[in-house]
Amino acid sequence: MPRTAVIGGGAAGFFLAINLKEMSPAMDVVIMERSRRVLAKVGLSGGGRCNCTNSFRSVADLQSVYPRGHRLMKRLFRTFDHRDAYQWFERRGVRLVTQADDCVFPASQDAHTIINLFLAEARRLGVTVKTEARISSLYELSDFDNICICTGGQPRPEGLQWLCQPVEEPVPSLFTFSIDDAALRSLMGTVVDTAAVMLPGTKLRAQGPLLITHWGMSGPAILRLSSYGARLLHDAGYQMPLVVSWTGRSEAETAAELAELSMRHGLKQLPTVRPFGMQQRLWQYLLRKALSGREHAPWGSLNKKEMNRLVNVLTADQYAISGRAPFKDEFVTCGGVALGAVSQQTLESKTHPGLYFAGEVLDVDGVTGGFNFQAAWTTAYVVAQAIAMKSK
């Protein structure tokens, strides 16, 4: 009987083992997890709700959601994509719902719905699950015909050395920004629905909701930018300038909106009329920043220079990133097993036949929104199919 070891009892490991056992029932499939619990990260994801994929309706270019590995994902999606994943879960009794932001969750809004499905399917199919199984060398797995590495992202290069493969240095990918600005941080809890953020001097830019926190800035826009600039920010010691457009609009559009408000509400004081539905506290903070001493002036009294300063603060407000703060719902790394070291069709090692990789252990990572789980489902399915076809 052919034997396959799946190292890592997380999302990619279980998805690979279940699909492989379905495709090749005679295969002896063993999941080996180093900790006491399997699927722990699935239980924490999406605030405990498990953002298991994305509708991809708003994705015109995969590079915008997979800063590393987009070409590989485009190829592998021909075999198993987000639509296949959606159907896979629903066929097994897990109803899914798609939110307005295109994120897909179990209708139960409970990550344990996914965990229970994986555990039940593994039992039904006869997949062996071993916990507290610490593997530190490929030689320990010499009894297996196939070895699938699904250990997830590794925070340090040493965690990948035992694989004997070329690697890209792992660094954090999804994180929030610490900003040493007491006045800004006093606005903690303020949400801007459509902000734009960028790292000046680069082409890196992201747009979406932004949250002001007690340490600086968070929210989807910041998390996306941290993913795009993961290696650049790491190399800079997480100290770089940041530019924020609080309106998410161009300078011309913002100037036109302010000019119209000035005409319509010329006698009203600036704090009483907020552009773009901006929250009161944030609007007052930006007024003080742009027009110190004149923040309570009537709209109609602003001269051209003052109006330009206000437009500039609204569309190109500058801050200094002073450090990296964690994002509690996800731990994602940029880096891992180099994509040039594996077959682009099967994800099998080019130097070690029978050695495969799936999930975040590869140098593939996505932005927040269900894209990392989708990468896990896709790569795991491709590996399962490759092994099943080879075993026929």
Side-chain angles (χ1 to χ4, degrees), residues 203-243:
K203 295 181 179 180
L204 302 178
R205 177 186 175 92
Q207 191 157 347
L210 184 151
L211 169 67
I212 300 174
T213 68
H214 66 275
W215 64 84
M217 294 185 192
S218 183
I222 295 295
L223 292 169
R224 284 197 172 209
L225 189 64
S226 77
S227 182
Y228 297 156
R231 204 165 291 283
L232 180 67
L233 285 157
H234 171 267
D235 293 345
Y238 302 103
Q239 295 188 354
M240 291 188 72
L242 172 72
V243 171

Side-chain angles (χ1 to χ4, degrees), residues 174-181 183-185 187-190 192 195-198 209-226 241-246 282 285-286 289 317-327:
L174 284 180
F175 49 88
T176 60
F177 296 161
S178 294
I179 296 174
D180 291 331
D181 184 325
L184 174 76
R185 297 199 307 264
L187 304 175
M188 61 176 291
T190 299
V192 179
V197 291
M198 65 173 292
L210 184 151
L211 169 67
I212 300 174
T213 68
H214 66 275
W215 64 84
M217 294 185 192
S218 183
I222 295 295
L223 292 169
R224 284 197 172 209
L225 189 64
S226 77
L242 172 72
V243 171
V244 179
S245 169
W246 297 104
L282 177 60
Y285 163 78
L286 295 174
K289 198 168 185 181
D317 200 8
Q318 297 199 24
Y319 297 89
I321 301 169
S322 59
R324 173 177 65 87
F327 175 42

Side-chain angles (χ1 to χ4, degrees), residues 148-364:
C148 305
I149 307 298
C150 306
T151 50
Q154 301 296 314
R156 292 180 295 276
E158 308 88 76
L160 299 168
Q161 287 178 350
W162 70 281
L163 300 175
C164 304
Q165 298 293 301
V167 301
E168 298 291 341
E169 180 188 3
V171 300
S173 178
L174 284 180
F175 49 88
T176 60
F177 296 161
S178 294
I179 296 174
D180 291 331
D181 184 325
L184 174 76
R185 297 199 307 264
S186 71
L187 304 175
M188 61 176 291
T190 299
V191 176
V192 179
D193 291 333
T194 309
V197 291
M198 65 173 292
L199 299 177
T202 75
K203 295 181 179 180
L204 302 178
R205 177 186 175 92
Q207 191 157 347
L210 184 151
L211 169 67
I212 300 174
T213 68
H214 66 275
W215 64 84
M217 294 185 192
S218 183
I222 295 295
L223 292 169
R224 284 197 172 209
L225 189 64
S226 77
S227 182
Y228 297 156
R231 204 165 291 283
L232 180 67
L233 285 157
H234 171 267
D235 293 345
Y238 302 103
Q239 295 188 354
M240 291 188 72
L242 172 72
V243 171
V244 179
S245 169
W246 297 104
T247 69
R249 315 273 182 98
S250 70
E251 184 177 317
E253 289 174 314
T254 302
E257 170 79 1
L258 297 189
E260 183 179 348
L261 289 178
S262 181
M263 289 180 60
R264 290 170 52 199
H265 305 284
L267 298 179
K268 293 183 179 179
Q269 290 187 336
L270 289 164
T272 64
V273 180
R274 292 170 285 146
F276 307 105
M278 194 168 289
Q279 291 189 26
Q280 186 68 44
R281 288 195 304 157
L282 177 60
W283 176 231
Q284 290 179 326
Y285 163 78
L286 295 174
L287 283 173
R288 287 193 299 271
K289 198 168 185 181
L291 305 169
S292 180
R294 288 268 291 157
E295 61 267 29
H296 293 284
W299 270 96
S301 72
L302 293 186
N303 59 41
K304 185 176 181 180
K305 188 174 181 180
E306 289 173 326
M307 189 65 83
N308 287 341
R309 284 209 305 270
L310 185 54
V311 170
N312 185 65
V313 166
L314 286 171
T315 60
D317 200 8
Q318 297 199 24
Y319 297 89
I321 301 169
S322 59
R324 173 177 65 87
F327 175 42
K328 66 179 182 179
D329 288 340
E330 304 240 16
F331 179 75
V332 176
T333 56
C334 153
V337 174
L339 300 186
V342 301
S343 162
Q344 303 296 288
Q345 288 75 38
T346 65
L347 304 180
E348 183 176 18
S349 167
K350 292 179 179 178
T351 57
H352 288 66
L355 177 64
Y356 298 83
F357 302 92
E360 203 189 326
V361 71
L362 289 162
D363 185 22
V364 175

Side-chain angles (χ1 to χ4, degrees), residues 19 22 80 83-95 117 381:
N19 281 288
E22 280 191 329
F80 192 90
R83 292 176 289 262
D84 298 310
Y86 198 105
Q87 293 171 8
W88 192 94
F89 285 105
E90 291 226 320
R91 280 201 305 268
R92 289 162 177 79
V94 175
R95 192 166 68 84
L117 169 67
Y381 188 92

